[in-house]
């Protein structure tokens, strides 16, 4: 989840989607590793079982796009770290996912296993597995970990935008643990034992390497892209990390947010921050000029949206580095504001991605691995390990 102010609107260029691409979307399970619907409806309630004005996800658009297993992100802001409220908010968000299912049992179903996803797909239901973004709700308690597992949490992103009691964050310059905390190292072991996937999106490089060293099963990056295309952006993964993830047999699920995908967008954002900070230094934080700065800057410097082609470049590069078995989709829909690429603006857009892969020569079997096969393989391995421990 990344809070962004709304940017100027951008009309999508029309993408010609073949009958084959639509067929692949409708006939296969599509898993998206990270969609921020729970926090979206927590802030402002919307009934996503019907078409909604705002947001990137609702039932009609999901059905149109073929989305069948979006991981609902149980996102807890880093500002709530080290507080009981952190744990309470996580439970409230799980309650909201359960309420979505309770209100529309003909459309949605909670999925706690790979078997659930497959069975619900056959029934025409959209599965709602859950992943926790930010491990702070654990509050140092293995009992909390077990409770969240029982409620349906099937991956945990160890940290978010700040270092917490589990792990250092890629966004936080303070590296208090130099990777994982002592408790964090124990948590990885216990997540393996329970059957919760370890998600290394957001963590520092040191924490990433420690997590894959400790974990007895493959790990995932639920919504990360590649540093090759965004130099200096540690939130993404560099080639060495991707190779290590491949050796771990894990999966990187590509984030669609423009600033995750494009150097141009990164540069735009960095320049905005630099110029705004300079203005604050010159005229003071409370100046009307500062209040008006963002809107003025965006008007003079239109937001450089990334493209479907650039997202495909990230997929291609993972395949070049470690093969087709280690890449998936982690769009971050409803989590990156109005920063989504041209051609991938909401959950109706997966056929565009499929068409792009077909155009680049991917076989149907390979596309199916990216859509869900790779993530379901990792989840199955995690389930099997937990069942034997």
């Amino acid at each position: 989840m990344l809070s962004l102010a709304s940017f100027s609107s951008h009309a999508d260029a029309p993408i010609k989607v073949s009958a084959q691409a639509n067929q692949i979307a409708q006939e296969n399970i599509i898993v998206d590793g990270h969609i921020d619907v729970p926090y979206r409806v927590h802030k402002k309630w919307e009934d996503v079982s019907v078409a909604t004005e705002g947001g990137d996800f609702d039932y009609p658009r999901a059905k149109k796009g073929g989305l069948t297993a979006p991981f609902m992100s149980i996102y807890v802001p880093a500002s709530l770290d080290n507080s009981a409220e952190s744990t309470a908010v996580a439970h409230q968000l799980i309650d909201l996912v359960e309420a979505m299912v309770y209100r529309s049992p003909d459309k949605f179903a909670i999925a706690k296993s790979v078997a659930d996803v497959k069975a619900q797909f056959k029934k025409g239901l959209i599965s709602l597995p859950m992943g926790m973004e930010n491990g702070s709700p654990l509050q140092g308690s293995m009992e909390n970990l077990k409770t969240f597992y029982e409620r349906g949490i099937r991956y945990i992103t160890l940290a978010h935008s700040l270092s917490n009691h589990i792990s250092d964050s890629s966004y936080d310059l303070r590296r208090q643990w130099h990777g994982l905390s002592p408790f964090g190292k124990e948590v990885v072991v216990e997540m393996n034992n329970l059957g919760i996937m370890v998600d290394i999106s957001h963590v520092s490089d040191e924490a990433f390497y420690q997590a894959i060293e400790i974990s007895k099963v493959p790990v995932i990056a639920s919504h990360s892209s590649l540093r090759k295309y965004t130099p200096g952006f540690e939130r993404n993964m560099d080639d060495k990390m991707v190779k290590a993830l491949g050796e771990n047999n894990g999966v990187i699920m590509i984030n669609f947010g423009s600033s995750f995908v494009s150097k141009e967008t990164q540069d735009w954002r960095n320049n905005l921050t630099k110029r705004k900070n300079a203005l604050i230094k010159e005229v003071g934080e409370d100046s009307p000029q500062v209040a008006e700065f963002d809107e003025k800057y965006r008007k003079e410097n239109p937001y450089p949206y990334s493209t479907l082609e650039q997202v495909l470049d990230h997929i291609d590069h993972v395949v070049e580095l470690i093969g087709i078995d280690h890449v998936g989709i982690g769009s971050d829909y409803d989590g990156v504001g109005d920063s989504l690429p041209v051609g991938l603006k909401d959950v109706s857009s997966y056929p565009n991605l499929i068409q792009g892969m077909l155009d680049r020569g991917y076989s149907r079997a390979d596309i199916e691995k990216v859509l869900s096969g790779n993530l379901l393989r990792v989840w199955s391995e995690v389930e099997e390990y937990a069942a034997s421990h």
Side-chain angles (χ1 to χ4, degrees), residues 87-103:
T87 309
V89 167
H91 281 298
Q92 288 165 15
L93 296 182
I94 296 171
D95 290 346
L96 282 170
V97 178
E98 291 177 346
M100 286 165 59
V101 171
Y102 180 78
R103 289 163 62 97

Side-chain angles (χ1 to χ4, degrees), residues 36-300:
D36 276 294
V37 170
Y39 199 74
R40 169 189 156 197
V41 299
H42 176 65
K43 286 197 298 183
K44 183 186 176 186
W45 171 253
E46 283 187 292
D47 181 1
V48 294
S49 71
V50 295
T52 58
E53 284 286 318
D56 309 323
F57 173 97
D58 58 40
Y59 180 80
R61 284 182 285 175
K63 290 300 278 187
K64 183 182 177 186
L67 179 61
T68 34
F71 268 86
M72 295 285 100
S73 173
I74 305 304
Y75 161 68
V76 178
S79 58
L80 300 181
D81 288 358
N82 303 313
S83 73
E85 192 182 351
S86 172
T87 309
V89 167
H91 281 298
Q92 288 165 15
L93 296 182
I94 296 171
D95 290 346
L96 282 170
V97 178
E98 291 177 346
M100 286 165 59
V101 171
Y102 180 78
R103 289 163 62 97
S104 304
D106 57 327
K107 296 177 179 176
F108 300 121
I110 299 288
K112 295 185 177 182
S113 66
V114 173
D116 285 349
V117 170
K118 290 179 177 177
Q120 289 157 7
F121 175 68
K122 285 179 181 172
K123 292 178 183 174
L125 297 169
I126 292 179
S127 295
L128 301 179
M130 289 180 282
M132 180 183 285
E133 185 176 26
N134 190 2
S136 73
L138 300 186
Q139 294 300 313
S141 164
M142 293 300 182
E143 279 304 307
N144 279 339
L145 179 69
K146 190 176 178 187
T147 299
F148 283 121
Y149 172 79
E150 287 166 353
R151 292 207 68 189
I153 294 296
R154 289 302 178 266
Y155 75 68
I156 296 176
T157 317
L158 302 178
H160 190 248
S161 57
L162 296 173
S163 172
N164 63 13
H165 73 294
I166 294 171
S167 173
D168 291 336
S169 164
S170 62
Y171 284 124
D172 195 336
L173 295 178
R174 297 167 305 150
R175 301 297 159 95
Q176 63 171 322
W177 306 115
H178 296 286
L180 301 176
S181 71
F183 176 72
K185 291 172 182 176
E186 292 175 17
V187 161
V188 169
V189 172
E190 193 55 28
M191 285 168 70
N192 285 178
N193 292 339
L194 282 172
I196 302 174
M197 289 178 279
V198 175
D199 178 20
I200 53 74
S201 287
H202 281 285
V203 305
S204 69
D205 289 11
E206 284 179 290
F208 162 76
Y209 285 110
Q210 289 170 19
I212 60 170
E213 185 181 345
I214 293 166
S215 181
K216 304 294 186 190
V217 289
V219 306
I220 64 168
S222 69
H223 59 308
S224 294
S225 299
L226 302 179
R227 218 175 288 175
K228 171 184 167 69
Y229 300 103
T230 56
F233 185 40
E234 194 179 332
R235 169 67 178 81
N236 278 345
M237 296 176 69
D238 67 21
D239 285 6
K240 187 182 169 194
M241 295 166 78
V242 173
K243 287 175 182 175
L245 187 75
E247 288 168 12
N248 167 265
N249 215 17
V251 177
I252 175 172
M253 309 182 80
I254 300 299
N255 191 315
F256 294 173
S258 288
S259 61
F260 289 80
V261 173
S262 159
K263 182 182 184 299
E264 188 186 1
T265 310
Q266 276 286 317
D267 291 346
W268 181 94
R269 174 171 301 288
N270 292 338
N271 192 45
L272 181 151
T273 304
K274 187 178 174 184
R275 285 174 58 179
K276 188 174 183 179
N277 288 341
L279 184 66
I280 289 169
K281 197 173 179 182
E282 183 187 337
V283 300
E285 198 162 355
D286 298 327
S287 165
Q289 285 175 265
V290 172
E292 295 161 6
F293 179 81
D294 283 19
E295 188 178 346
K296 186 169 181 280
Y297 179 86
R298 291 186 174 109
K299 200 171 182 180
E300 293 170 358

Side-chain angles (χ1 to χ4, degrees), residues 24 27-32 68-69 71 114 117-118 121 251 253 325 327-329 365-380:
I24 291 171
E27 291 179 356
N28 289 281
I29 294 170
I30 297 180
V31 173
D32 191 313
T68 34
F71 268 86
V114 173
V117 170
K118 290 179 177 177
F121 175 68
V251 177
M253 309 182 80
D325 296 322
V327 63
I329 299 165
D366 283 350
I367 292 170
E368 290 171 7
K369 286 182 177 183
V370 175
L371 295 180
S372 63
N374 294 335
L375 187 279
L376 294 179
R377 169 186 58 77
V378 170
W379 191 359
S380 294

